Amino acid sequence: MLYPLFWERTIDMTVKAAIVAGIAGACMFAGAAYADVYLKGEDVAKLIVGKTIEGQFTGCAVGRTDFAEFYTKDGKIKGRERPCAQAGSWKRYGGVWKVKDGKFCVTLGSERSSGCFDYQVDKDGNLRRDSEKGTVSFKIYDGNPDHL
């Protein structure tokens, strides 16, 4: 009588192990695929319009700044910046945003990174963008807490 009970437990454990292995494999595949997936411009707009993003480059260097930008519903950007990782006064600037050819595009002036970029979202909900100046990570805040 123990034989059928043992056999049922063995099958049950084998099935559970296969399910766990399948889920783990799917998660690894999803993680790898996720790394190459960029948001559509419309999705970036839905994520940040009416909100403020705060950006920092992965490494400070000449010409890099810490910044915050508020994205208005009518296509305007209200921003502030200062030299990377330094205390002091913030310099204000403006710009415009739009979605063009499926990408989120910003125009911020001659000295700032302007153009249409590919964005990704990390597991913490932060945006990331690669540009000629390096990788920038953005934290997203509701509304306009800095009154930009």
Side-chain angles (χ1 to χ4, degrees):
M1 216 51 178
L2 290 177
Y3 180 74
L5 183 60
F6 172 76
W7 181 250
E8 286 176 16
R9 285 186 182 165
T10 303
I11 290 174
D12 190 42
M13 290 179 70
T14 304
V15 170
K16 285 181 184 177
I19 290 170
V20 168
I23 292 171
C27 289
M28 287 190 316
F29 175 75
Y34 173 80
D36 296 327
V37 175
Y38 293 102
L39 295 172
K40 293 179 182 177
E42 295 84 4
D43 294 330
V44 175
K46 287 177 189 174
L47 190 62
I48 67 173
V49 171
K51 298 180 182 177
T52 298
I53 63 170
E54 182 179 81
Q56 290 186 320
F57 285 93
T58 54
C60 287
V62 174
R64 293 186 179 172
T65 60
D66 294 332
F67 61 93
E69 296 171 348
F70 175 67
Y71 288 76
T72 67
K73 292 179 182 180
D74 63 352
K76 293 187 175 110
I77 301 170
K78 298 176 181 182
R80 68 178 188 169
E81 68 182 348
R82 67 179 175 195
C84 189
Q86 294 186 20
S89 298
W90 291 90
K91 178 182 169 187
R92 293 193 179 261
Y93 61 89
V96 294
W97 68 268
K98 66 180 175 180
V99 175
K100 180 180 177 186
D101 298 328
K103 291 193 177 195
F104 191 79
C105 306
V106 297
T107 303
L108 299 170
S110 62
E111 294 181 23
R112 294 173 188 84
S113 292
S114 294
C116 299
F117 301 99
D118 290 318
Y119 292 85
Q120 294 177 305
V121 176
D122 68 19
K123 62 183 167 114
D124 298 321
N126 298 321
L127 281 178
R128 193 185 92 210
R129 176 184 85 201
D130 295 323
S131 72
E132 69 280 354
K133 289 188 175 183
T135 300
V136 185
S137 290
F138 305 96
K139 291 182 182 177
I140 304 170
Y141 299 96
D142 287 333
N144 188 4
D146 298 319
H147 307 288
L148 299 171

